[in-house]
Amino acid sequence: MLVQQNVKKNVKGSVRQANHGKIIKAAVTVFANKGYQGATVQEVAEQAGLPKANVLYYFKSKQGIYEAVLSDILSLWNSSFDHATPEDEPAEALSRYIREKLEISRTNPEASKIFAMEMIKGAEQLSDEIKAGMVSWFDARIAIIRQWIKQGKMADVDPTMLMFQIWATTQHYADFSAQITILKDGKALNKRGFQEVGDYLCQSILSSCGLTPEK
Amino acid sequence: MLVQQNVKKNVKGSVRQANHGKIIKAAVTVFANKGYQGATVQEVAEQAGLPKANVLYYFKSKQGIYEAVLSDILSLWNSSFDHATPEDEPAEALSRYIREKLEISRTNPEASKIFAMEMIKGAEQLSDEIKAGMVSWFDARIAIIRQWIKQGKMADVDPTMLMFQIWATTQHYADFSAQITILKDGKALNKRGFQEVGDYLCQSILSSCGLTPEK
Amino acid sequence: MLVQQNVKKNVKGSVRQANHGKIIKAAVTVFANKGYQGATVQEVAEQAGLPKANVLYYFKSKQGIYEAVLSDILSLWNSSFDHATPEDEPAEALSRYIREKLEISRTNPEASKIFAMEMIKGAEQLSDEIKAGMVSWFDARIAIIRQWIKQGKMADVDPTMLMFQIWATTQHYADFSAQITILKDGKALNKRGFQEVGDYLCQSILSSCGLTPEK
Amino acid sequence: MLVQQNVKKNVKGSVRQANHGKIIKAAVTVFANKGYQGATVQEVAEQAGLPKANVLYYFKSKQGIYEAVLSDILSLWNSSFDHATPEDEPAEALSRYIREKLEISRTNPEASKIFAMEMIKGAEQLSDEIKAGMVSWFDARIAIIRQWIKQGKMADVDPTMLMFQIWATTQHYADFSAQITILKDGKALNKRGFQEVGDYLCQSILSSCGLTPEK
DNA sequence: CATGAATGAGACTTCATTCAT
DNA sequence: TATGAATGAAGTCTCATTCAT
């Protein structure tokens, strides 16, 4: 009896988890293509293959779905750079970061787009907790770059501007994919194209930091 | 008598022009902060200090306002780079372009944001006419850069990637101002800050093109 | 001087009269095809080739236009039957009336349609004056028919039902022209078709009144 | 348990069916008195005793309500004449049809009015499906009348004109009830009045077909 | 006289959310 | 737990009418 109940719970639990996942995935697509206001719970539900009321049963409100999506997105953005140390070689750490960021742009453009729109609109729906997390992550990275500079491992560039430069250039290929497609005769960038962009950006950014990009 | 009539006519004309301008200006602000769907005609009207029905008298629909805003934005984006020639010095032409783009980001961040959101959402509301204009402008610039390279005036970099790099890095300071403010302790970038960013970007981008930035 | 002024006035007067006529004609078309609520002053104005404000300058309101249209319609509906007398031969008077009504349906279907819709919706916009005129006209006709019957000139049918029968059958060809067209393979009735309908109706109605239709 | 569930389901089903019916009934009244454009969803909702949004939950749009109403009306118009055969006696079949049509006019004048207005305005909102149904019904009836004529069962009248005559005269008492009331001193026709009209029309129409009306 | 400009009122429709089972 | 049903709130747009010249 107990076992059976556990089994049921587990089954139910899995259903819950599965539905939860389906909804988040659907919501990412819808929010990325329509924006927060343009998205409708109905559309998320259809995309997820669930009744609308069921979606709102898992997440209390549209806002709730959106917050879950934002959280989910951040978890995608872990990179090796999170664990960089002053002892690392900046050339390697930075090129790896650039390539990882590009890879995320390639494989998760929708997440990047949602985050970009949130920022553009003033980040008013971003929780203070998330904001605080961003700040502490950022400050720590800046500190490490400063140490690299102090140690003479790289040129004396403004670490903040360097970070923004990396973000801007790598995310551009996710966020502005529509524009890129328009300007490149309707052809979207493929995996190899991203590889070449990575080469270009590493070359450009590292050389301006007085570093030699390693392929 | 005639004069007075002309004056009257002018007054009428200016009222129309003034209201038209007020509405566009208000709409830019609202669209930038709320997105297309999040914006309401009511809010645009309030921002413009006009009754809602009056706004819809000047522009037939919300979509109409938005299209007028997009048009208006494009006219802001003229730059000296529009008239660059193969005879120009790339160092000067490119640094001026970078600084002009940055200046636009500083003075018209809202326009940049609207355009960015339009692209992120897939550019579905952008007219084919505007798209065609973008393509021809872009192709012509690429051709000039290629000539510079051919003439040995600059290093052999991919012109397309170079352009995207310039756009991404300069527009970032408009589009992601909220993020920048969050990460910089609530302080937005002032004019001097933009100046420094310009120095940094010119230094970084030009050097990776084998050019010496001129201050 | 006076002459000139008169001329001017006349000219102006003609303009007024001409515009007045243009508006009524346009309004008849629009009201017939859209109904009162479905019609817009804008559409009437366009159909008349005048600015909307000009239309409302001639007629104070949409309601005013409509009332003018109703009045105008009634003036179209004069027929020889208005002047029928007990001395007339019913066979001739009735067949002429039937044919005249049919001819109006053929040449002025729009007027018939407007009147029909007004009646269907309950005649709430019909002025008491017009209603009173209708009643007195009707009562007088009924009285004449009764006299014909009394004189043994025709069978003892209910005059009211006879009148309704004539109206219903003749107006049907104007009001339900769309249905007729649908049922007759998309072909509307032409002049000859109306002629045949006239023959049929005269034959049918007169014979049931004990009269011999004269061709 | 099963039974109860069925009951519940039935209850749910009946709620839906009941609301559906309430809305259609309310809509018939409103459309008949105001026309399509004059009718408002709000008014239909009030008439049905439901919130406006609930009405639009059952029917997607005003147009949807209207289409449902038109469909509903057609289902009312079944008559014994639908099943007439060449073997039937025309005198009986036609008089029964006339009386049935009159009875519909008496009991469902609103349906008749809606249909009449739709036709007057050009039948643009009538679905092709419905139109096709009308045509095939009509053609079949015409064919039967032609057979009666061929068999010498009735005079050689034009079947199309005969049908239009029946429709026009019977529907007139529904559609033009306001006019009839005006002309008859404010008194609407009662059941007995309709009976007399039926006698009159049967007498008139059948005799002109060379038939003897049977009471 | 004539008319471009302006606007209050109100219509249709969408949608997030709540209810009831 | 899951979901069809229900609805208040709000948004876009239309339109008759008035204003101002």
Side-chain angles (χ1 to χ4, degrees):
Chain A
M1 206 31 190
L2 258 177
V3 173
Q4 203 179 5
Q5 200 145 11
N6 277 338
V7 169
K8 272 185 188 170
K9 268 192 180 174
N10 282 342
V11 168
K12 278 189 182 176
S14 324
V15 168
R16 166 170 278 275
Q17 215 165 352
N19 282 344
H20 195 99
K22 274 196 275 184
I23 294 167
I24 292 288
K25 201 175 162 210
V28 165
T29 299
V30 177
F31 282 130
N33 290 315
K34 304 289 179 72
Y36 178 77
Q37 296 275 0
T40 67
V41 176
Q42 178 66 47
E43 199 177 348
V44 171
E46 277 165 16
Q47 192 79 202
L50 292 171
K52 183 172 68 163
N54 203 355
V55 169
L56 286 165
Y57 166 72
Y58 283 109
F59 299 90
K60 210 166 185 170
S61 66
K62 183 182 177 181
Q63 180 65 26
I65 304 172
Y66 185 65
E67 280 164 13
V69 164
L70 284 181
S71 268
D72 190 71
I73 286 174
L74 291 184
S75 71
L76 283 176
W77 286 358
N78 296 324
S79 80
S80 61
F81 202 57
D82 300 355
H83 314 294
T85 67
E87 285 70 43
D88 290 336
E89 278 310 304
E92 200 213 319
L94 289 175
S95 12
R96 190 184 298 174
Y97 185 45
I98 290 168
R99 290 186 195 282
E100 283 173 354
K101 286 283 294 174
L102 260 184
E103 186 64 7
I104 290 171
S105 279
R106 188 177 72 82
T107 55
N108 280 85
E110 290 174 337
S112 183
K113 285 174 177 176
I114 292 170
F115 193 77
M117 280 192 283
E118 177 62 23
M119 283 301 156
I120 290 172
K121 289 203 277 186
E124 286 172 358
Q125 295 186 81
L126 210 62
S127 73
D128 289 342
E129 194 189 340
I130 289 181
K131 285 181 189 170
M134 283 168 50
V135 170
S136 70
W137 183 94
F138 188 73
D139 288 347
R141 292 328 104 186
I142 295 300
I144 288 165
I145 296 173
R146 277 198 219 289
Q147 295 229 5
W148 284 336
I149 293 169
K150 210 176 188 177
Q151 292 170 29
K153 283 183 173 173
M154 59 179 283
D156 182 12
V157 301
D158 183 310
T160 300
M161 291 182 192
L162 173 59
M163 288 298 293
F164 290 165
Q165 186 181 24
I166 293 173
W167 287 353
T169 49
T170 54
Q171 290 167 193
H172 183 86
Y173 286 87
D175 302 343
F176 288 77
S177 59
Q179 188 178 31
I180 293 170
T181 301
I182 291 170
L183 294 176
K184 297 192 69 157
D185 243 344
K187 276 173 284 185
L189 227 55
N190 59 13
K191 192 169 179 179
R192 180 181 178 112
F194 270 90
Q195 176 70 38
E196 288 168 8
V197 169
D199 294 345
Y200 172 80
L201 290 178
C202 284
Q203 148 68 31
S204 172
I205 293 171
L206 267 71
S207 79
S208 80
C209 290
L211 298 166
T212 311
E214 15 187 323
K215 183 57 195 299
Chain B
M1 203 35 188
L2 261 176
V3 172
Q4 202 178 3
Q5 200 142 9
N6 278 336
V7 168
K8 274 182 187 173
K9 270 192 180 171
N10 282 342
V11 167
K12 272 191 182 177
S14 348
V15 166
R16 167 166 273 272
Q17 214 166 349
N19 281 345
H20 193 101
K22 270 196 278 185
I23 294 167
I24 291 288
K25 204 177 160 203
V28 165
T29 298
V30 177
F31 282 129
N33 290 316
K34 303 291 179 75
Y36 178 77
Q37 296 275 1
T40 67
V41 175
Q42 178 66 49
E43 198 176 349
V44 171
E46 277 165 15
Q47 192 78 203
L50 293 170
K52 185 172 58 167
N54 201 2
V55 169
L56 288 166
Y57 169 71
Y58 282 105
F59 300 91
K60 212 166 183 167
S61 65
K62 182 181 177 181
Q63 178 68 25
I65 304 173
Y66 185 65
E67 281 167 12
V69 164
L70 285 181
S71 263
D72 190 70
I73 285 174
L74 290 184
S75 70
L76 283 176
W77 286 359
N78 295 324
S79 79
S80 61
F81 201 56
D82 301 355
H83 313 293
T85 69
E87 286 70 44
D88 290 337
E89 280 309 306
E92 200 212 321
L94 289 175
S95 29
R96 191 184 297 174
Y97 185 45
I98 291 168
R99 290 187 195 281
E100 281 173 355
K101 286 283 294 174
L102 261 184
E103 184 64 8
I104 290 171
S105 280
R106 188 178 71 83
T107 55
N108 281 85
E110 291 174 336
S112 183
K113 285 175 177 175
I114 292 171
F115 194 78
M117 279 192 283
E118 177 62 24
M119 283 299 156
I120 290 172
K121 288 202 278 187
E124 287 174 358
Q125 295 186 79
L126 209 62
S127 74
D128 289 342
E129 195 190 339
I130 289 181
K131 286 180 188 169
M134 283 169 49
V135 170
S136 70
W137 184 94
F138 188 73
D139 289 345
R141 293 327 104 189
I142 295 300
I144 287 165
I145 296 173
R146 277 197 218 289
Q147 296 228 6
W148 283 336
I149 293 170
K150 209 176 189 180
Q151 294 170 27
K153 283 181 172 173
M154 60 180 280
D156 182 12
V157 301
D158 184 309
T160 299
M161 291 181 191
L162 173 59
M163 288 299 293
F164 290 165
Q165 185 181 23
I166 293 173
W167 287 353
T169 48
T170 54
Q171 289 167 193
H172 183 86
Y173 287 88
D175 302 343
F176 288 77
S177 58
Q179 189 179 30
I180 294 170
T181 302
I182 290 171
L183 296 176
K184 297 192 69 157
D185 243 345
K187 275 173 286 182
L189 226 56
N190 58 14
K191 191 169 180 181
R192 180 179 177 114
F194 270 90
Q195 176 70 38
E196 288 167 9
V197 170
D199 293 345
Y200 170 79
L201 289 178
C202 285
Q203 148 67 32
S204 171
I205 293 171
L206 268 70
S207 78
S208 79
C209 291
L211 299 166
T212 312
E214 16 186 322
K215 182 55 196 297
Chain C
M1 203 36 184
L2 258 176
V3 172
Q4 203 177 5
Q5 202 143 9
N6 277 338
V7 168
K8 272 186 189 170
K9 269 192 179 172
N10 282 342
V11 168
K12 280 188 181 174
S14 325
V15 168
R16 165 170 277 275
Q17 213 165 354
N19 283 344
H20 195 99
K22 274 196 278 186
I23 293 167
I24 291 288
K25 202 177 160 206
V28 165
T29 298
V30 177
F31 282 129
N33 291 314
K34 305 290 179 74
Y36 177 78
Q37 295 276 358
T40 67
V41 176
Q42 178 66 47
E43 200 177 347
V44 171
E46 277 166 15
Q47 192 79 202
L50 293 171
K52 183 171 69 163
N54 202 354
V55 169
L56 287 165
Y57 166 71
Y58 284 108
F59 300 89
K60 210 167 184 168
S61 66
K62 184 183 176 179
Q63 179 65 26
I65 304 172
Y66 186 66
E67 281 166 11
V69 164
L70 285 180
S71 268
D72 190 71
I73 286 174
L74 291 184
S75 70
L76 283 176
W77 286 358
N78 296 322
S79 80
S80 61
F81 202 58
D82 301 355
H83 313 294
T85 68
E87 286 71 43
D88 290 335
E89 280 308 306
E92 200 212 318
L94 289 175
S95 22
R96 192 184 295 174
Y97 184 45
I98 290 168
R99 291 186 194 280
E100 281 172 355
K101 286 284 295 175
L102 261 183
E103 186 64 8
I104 291 171
S105 279
R106 189 177 71 82
T107 54
N108 280 86
E110 291 174 336
S112 182
K113 285 174 177 175
I114 291 170
F115 193 77
M117 280 192 282
E118 177 62 23
M119 282 301 155
I120 290 172
K121 289 202 279 188
E124 287 172 359
Q125 295 185 80
L126 210 62
S127 73
D128 289 342
E129 193 189 342
I130 289 181
K131 286 180 190 171
M134 282 168 50
V135 170
S136 69
W137 183 95
F138 188 73
D139 288 346
R141 292 327 103 188
I142 296 299
I144 288 165
I145 296 173
R146 278 197 218 289
Q147 297 228 4
W148 284 336
I149 294 169
K150 210 175 189 178
Q151 296 168 30
K153 283 182 172 173
M154 58 180 281
D156 183 11
V157 302
D158 184 310
T160 300
M161 292 183 192
L162 174 60
M163 288 298 293
F164 291 166
Q165 186 182 22
I166 293 173
W167 287 353
T169 49
T170 54
Q171 288 166 195
H172 183 86
Y173 286 86
D175 302 343
F176 288 77
S177 59
Q179 189 179 30
I180 294 170
T181 302
I182 290 170
L183 295 176
K184 297 193 68 158
D185 242 344
K187 276 172 285 183
L189 225 57
N190 58 16
K191 192 169 178 181
R192 175 173 184 125
F194 270 90
Q195 175 72 38
E196 288 168 10
V197 170
D199 293 345
Y200 172 80
L201 290 178
C202 285
Q203 148 68 32
S204 173
I205 293 171
L206 268 69
S207 78
S208 79
C209 291
L211 297 166
T212 312
E214 19 188 322
K215 181 55 195 297
Chain D
M1 203 34 188
L2 262 174
V3 172
Q4 201 177 6
Q5 200 142 10
N6 277 338
V7 169
K8 273 184 188 173
K9 269 192 181 172
N10 282 343
V11 167
K12 271 190 185 180
S14 351
V15 166
R16 167 166 275 272
Q17 213 166 351
N19 281 345
H20 194 100
K22 270 196 279 183
I23 293 167
I24 291 288
K25 201 176 161 204
V28 165
T29 299
V30 177
F31 282 129
N33 291 316
K34 304 289 179 75
Y36 178 77
Q37 296 274 0
T40 68
V41 176
Q42 177 67 48
E43 199 175 349
V44 172
E46 277 165 16
Q47 192 77 203
L50 292 170
K52 185 173 55 168
N54 201 2
V55 169
L56 288 166
Y57 169 72
Y58 283 105
F59 301 90
K60 212 166 184 168
S61 65
K62 181 182 177 180
Q63 177 67 25
I65 304 172
Y66 185 65
E67 281 166 12
V69 164
L70 284 181
S71 264
D72 191 71
I73 286 175
L74 290 184
S75 70
L76 283 176
W77 286 359
N78 296 323
S79 78
S80 62
F81 201 56
D82 302 355
H83 314 293
T85 70
E87 285 70 44
D88 289 337
E89 280 308 306
E92 199 211 320
L94 290 175
S95 27
R96 192 184 298 174
Y97 184 45
I98 291 168
R99 289 187 195 281
E100 282 173 354
K101 286 283 294 175
L102 261 183
E103 185 64 7
I104 290 171
S105 279
R106 188 178 71 83
T107 54
N108 282 86
E110 291 173 337
S112 183
K113 285 175 178 176
I114 292 171
F115 194 77
M117 278 192 283
E118 177 62 23
M119 282 300 155
I120 291 172
K121 288 203 277 188
E124 288 174 356
Q125 295 187 79
L126 208 63
S127 75
D128 290 341
E129 195 190 340
I130 290 181
K131 286 180 189 171
M134 283 169 48
V135 171
S136 70
W137 183 95
F138 188 73
D139 288 346
R141 291 328 102 189
I142 295 300
I144 288 165
I145 296 174
R146 276 196 219 290
Q147 296 229 6
W148 285 335
I149 293 169
K150 213 175 185 179
Q151 295 170 27
K153 284 182 172 171
M154 59 180 280
D156 182 12
V157 302
D158 184 309
T160 300
M161 291 181 192
L162 173 60
M163 289 297 294
F164 291 165
Q165 186 183 23
I166 293 174
W167 287 352
T169 48
T170 54
Q171 289 167 194
H172 184 85
Y173 287 87
D175 303 342
F176 288 77
S177 59
Q179 189 179 29
I180 294 170
T181 302
I182 291 170
L183 296 176
K184 296 190 68 157
D185 241 345
K187 276 173 284 183
L189 225 55
N190 59 14
K191 192 168 178 181
R192 184 190 173 102
F194 270 91
Q195 176 71 39
E196 288 167 8
V197 170
D199 294 344
Y200 172 80
L201 290 178
C202 285
Q203 148 68 31
S204 172
I205 293 171
L206 268 69
S207 78
S208 79
C209 292
L211 298 166
T212 311
E214 16 187 323
K215 182 55 195 300

